[in-house]
Amino acid sequence: MTLVNDAAPAARSTGRKFRAFTAKHLDELTARAGLTPEQRLATRAVATVLPFRTNAYVIEELIDWSAAPDDPIYRLVFPQEDMLPPEDVAHLSDLLRREAPKAEIEAAARAVRRKLNPHPAGQMELNIPSFGDGKIPGMQHKYDETVLYFPKQGQTCHAYCTYCFRWAQFVGEADLKMAGDDVTALRDYIAAHPEVTSVLFTGGDAMIMGEPVLRRYVEPLLELEQLESIRIGTKALGYWPQKFVTDPDADDMLRLFEQVVKSGKNLAFMAHFTHPRELEPLVVAEACRRIRDTGAVIRTQAPLIRTINDDAVTWETMWRTQTRMGLIPYYMFVERDTGPQDYFAVPLAEAYTIFRDAYKNVSGLSRTVRGPSMSATPGKVCVDGVVEVAGQKVFALHFIQCRDADLVGKPFFAQYDPNAVWLDELKPAFADRFPWEK
């Protein structure tokens, strides 16, 4: 077996034991950001509805506290009082202020969550396949060639992003959570569906798991000749790169990656980097080097988020830096229609302008990136541009992926709307319906 390349001593010295911070630490941390007592109470109110978790690395290495609460990394991980409707924040703040019973607070928070579209794009109704005697917990199969799996032990993260479209996984409501641990059922389902060539482990974050647990999910899949790739969706490189450098099982984890590559599978890390600052610490470059030295590839993706990365220079900087580090820019997403979408969403027309202005300034090696892309109910819709056709200003779009594979790559048009932020706000152009509509 190939030996895992040792990390440089300087990078190893940056390691520290993982320490999580949760909602019980919010008052102390938001005081550090200069929030008033009333603002801190409102932040705690939002955190009863949406999940909050961060760690010492994010707090000490990534956040610029002199710029908080406007610092982009602070806004990336800390709830904001205006993320929810004012009347809901006021009601929850009042409950916290008068120290209402825990059950009453949880009931009020649950009522707010139900208004936030916790599982968008038909995830629960359309994506969960039936197999054998019923449905397989923790599995989604939306596109023919790709199966998503949510390992039970990977349904948390080193830190939570405030924009996360998987927020419902982390709020403690069993009927909102997707998770499974039946590896045999996963393997048997794939074997029974020869069109499946790729598995994506998602969550949460599979990299929250230790090597022995991840191995239990991955090894049985290496026997399936039909599989071409195994993908791991992860924010660990941004929020806890020590996972691959100084954590106790870092070397064992990298040996597992080597095993996947030696089996003939493509191992791809779908790494979420939301802001250039997440790429700056030396330990990130070392973690990326160690992963790439196993033969795995690292593709980068993130959504376009208002107040955090909604300008072309930020994206240009990210893509250039990632290319220098040997990473492959992959997706710019549009903020999904769930949670506090109204707070974070950027209009599609503006999103396209930001994408184009960044894209035109990078080399061809960075132009592997696609976007702006919406992961909507019918599929991944890419905004290709704003054009004038037959005297009408329209959006040009196409499907990168689609439930109906025959529609992949086919262009279609929507009436131009400068305020639209999502597919369901668009109206078809030059037709009475969109291609996927019956």
Side-chain angles (χ1 to χ4, degrees):
M1 176 177 288
T2 302
L3 292 176
V4 175
N5 287 329
D6 289 333
R12 282 194 177 274
S13 68
T14 64
R16 65 177 70 178
K17 187 175 181 181
F18 181 82
R19 182 190 176 194
F21 293 86
T22 61
K24 66 183 179 182
H25 302 101
L26 259 177
D27 202 58
E28 170 191 352
L29 291 170
T30 52
R32 183 175 176 180
L35 271 61
T36 66
E38 197 62 26
Q39 289 173 323
R40 301 202 302 269
L41 179 65
T43 300
R44 288 170 51 213
V46 173
T48 66
V49 176
L50 300 170
F52 169 73
R53 173 182 165 95
T54 188
N55 65 65
Y57 172 79
V58 175
I59 286 173
E60 301 302 336
E61 302 292 336
L62 298 184
I63 294 175
D64 178 1
W65 288 97
S66 68
D70 296 325
D71 176 69
I73 305 298
Y74 177 90
R75 301 184 71 80
L76 179 58
V77 295
F78 279 84
Q80 310 298 314
E81 62 176 295
D82 48 350
M83 283 169 56
L84 298 176
E87 59 274 17
D88 290 332
V89 176
H91 176 53
L92 289 162
S93 295
D94 181 63
L95 293 177
L96 293 175
R97 185 183 293 108
R98 59 184 175 84
E99 298 182 350
K102 183 179 179 181
E104 184 178 355
I105 296 172
E106 288 181 349
R110 192 177 304 115
V112 177
R113 287 187 199 116
R114 298 294 164 160
K115 297 185 290 185
L116 298 177
N117 189 23
H119 283 306
Q123 290 184 84
M124 302 298 276
E125 303 84 5
L126 302 176
N127 293 2
I128 302 176
S130 295
F131 185 65
D133 296 330
K135 297 183 182 296
I136 300 177
M139 177 186 289
Q140 291 191 17
H141 190 184
K142 181 176 181 178
Y143 307 125
D144 290 346
E145 68 280 0
T146 304
V147 160
L148 274 64
Y149 199 75
F150 298 74
K152 182 176 73 173
Q153 300 87 342
Q155 299 317 305
T156 186
C157 298
H158 294 96
Y160 296 146
C161 299
T162 44
Y163 64 74
C164 183
F165 86 98
R166 298 276 192 217
W167 63 270
Q169 290 286 93
F170 316 129
V171 294
E173 293 193 42
D175 61 332
L176 293 182
K177 191 167 186 174
M178 292 173 284
D181 64 354
D182 191 340
V183 182
T184 300
L186 170 63
R187 182 193 61 203
D188 291 350
Y189 179 87
I190 295 170
H193 293 80
E195 72 275 16
V196 176
T197 59
S198 180
V199 173
L200 169 60
F201 288 107
T202 185
D205 193 328
M207 287 294 97
I208 204 80
M209 297 189 290
E211 181 271 339
V213 181
L214 181 61
R215 178 179 293 276
R216 187 166 69 83
Y217 286 98
V218 168
E219 272 194 330
L221 304 184
L222 304 185
E223 307 165 1
L224 299 173
E225 291 188 7
Q226 72 194 77
L227 274 190
E228 299 169 0
S229 65
I230 294 174
R231 288 183 273 176
I232 297 176
T234 182
K235 184 72 180 181
L237 283 166
Y239 281 166
W240 189 248
Q242 294 90 328
K243 177 72 177 178
F244 311 100
V245 180
T246 57
D247 271 13
D249 66 344
D251 288 354
D252 289 339
M253 186 69 77
L254 295 177
R255 290 189 180 98
L256 174 60
F257 300 165
E258 287 181 341
Q259 181 180 342
V260 174
V261 174
K262 284 185 176 181
S263 75
K265 315 297 185 192
N266 176 276
L267 178 61
F269 278 78
M270 320 311 293
H272 291 246
F273 289 107
T274 316
H275 191 272
R277 197 180 303 157
E278 296 171 307
L279 296 158
E280 291 175 3
L282 292 177
V283 67
V284 178
E286 186 58 29
C288 291
R289 182 191 70 80
R290 299 194 88 209
I291 293 171
R292 293 179 61 239
D293 282 353
T294 69
V297 298
I298 303 174
R299 299 180 182 271
T300 61
Q301 56 191 31
L304 177 64
I305 301 296
R306 189 175 67 86
T307 78
I308 293 174
N309 61 16
D310 55 337
D311 67 273
V313 172
T314 296
W315 286 88
E316 177 188 338
T317 302
M318 274 204 294
W319 294 338
R320 284 185 168 190
T321 303
Q322 290 160 2
T323 300
R324 282 199 302 269
M325 295 170 66
L327 318 184
I328 303 171
Y330 190 54
Y331 269 123
M332 173 197 278
F333 289 117
V334 174
E335 169 67 352
R336 294 185 72 160
D337 55 336
T338 181
Q341 182 199 26
D342 292 343
Y343 182 81
F344 287 121
V346 175
L348 296 175
E350 183 181 346
Y352 169 69
T353 299
I354 291 171
F355 178 88
R356 183 197 61 200
D357 287 348
Y359 190 85
K360 71 182 182 182
N361 288 331
V362 299
S363 74
L365 290 176
S366 297
R367 291 181 181 171
T368 50
V369 69
R370 297 178 288 183
S373 171
M374 290 175 278
S375 292
T377 301
K380 282 190 174 72
V381 178
C382 187
V383 181
D384 292 323
V386 177
V387 296
E388 188 169 308
V389 178
Q392 183 176 343
K393 192 176 184 179
V394 295
F395 285 114
L397 311 106
H398 81 280
F399 279 107
I400 298 172
Q401 275 280 26
C402 191
R403 293 184 191 277
D404 180 355
D406 287 339
L407 296 180
V408 172
K410 291 185 178 180
F412 63 96
F413 300 94
Q415 297 176 28
Y416 178 76
D417 181 347
N419 300 314
V421 300
W422 196 249
L423 185 65
D424 62 8
E425 298 178 15
L426 298 179
K427 297 178 180 179
F430 315 119
D432 58 0
R433 60 183 174 85
F434 285 118
W436 65 91
E437 295 175 333
K438 300 297 183 183

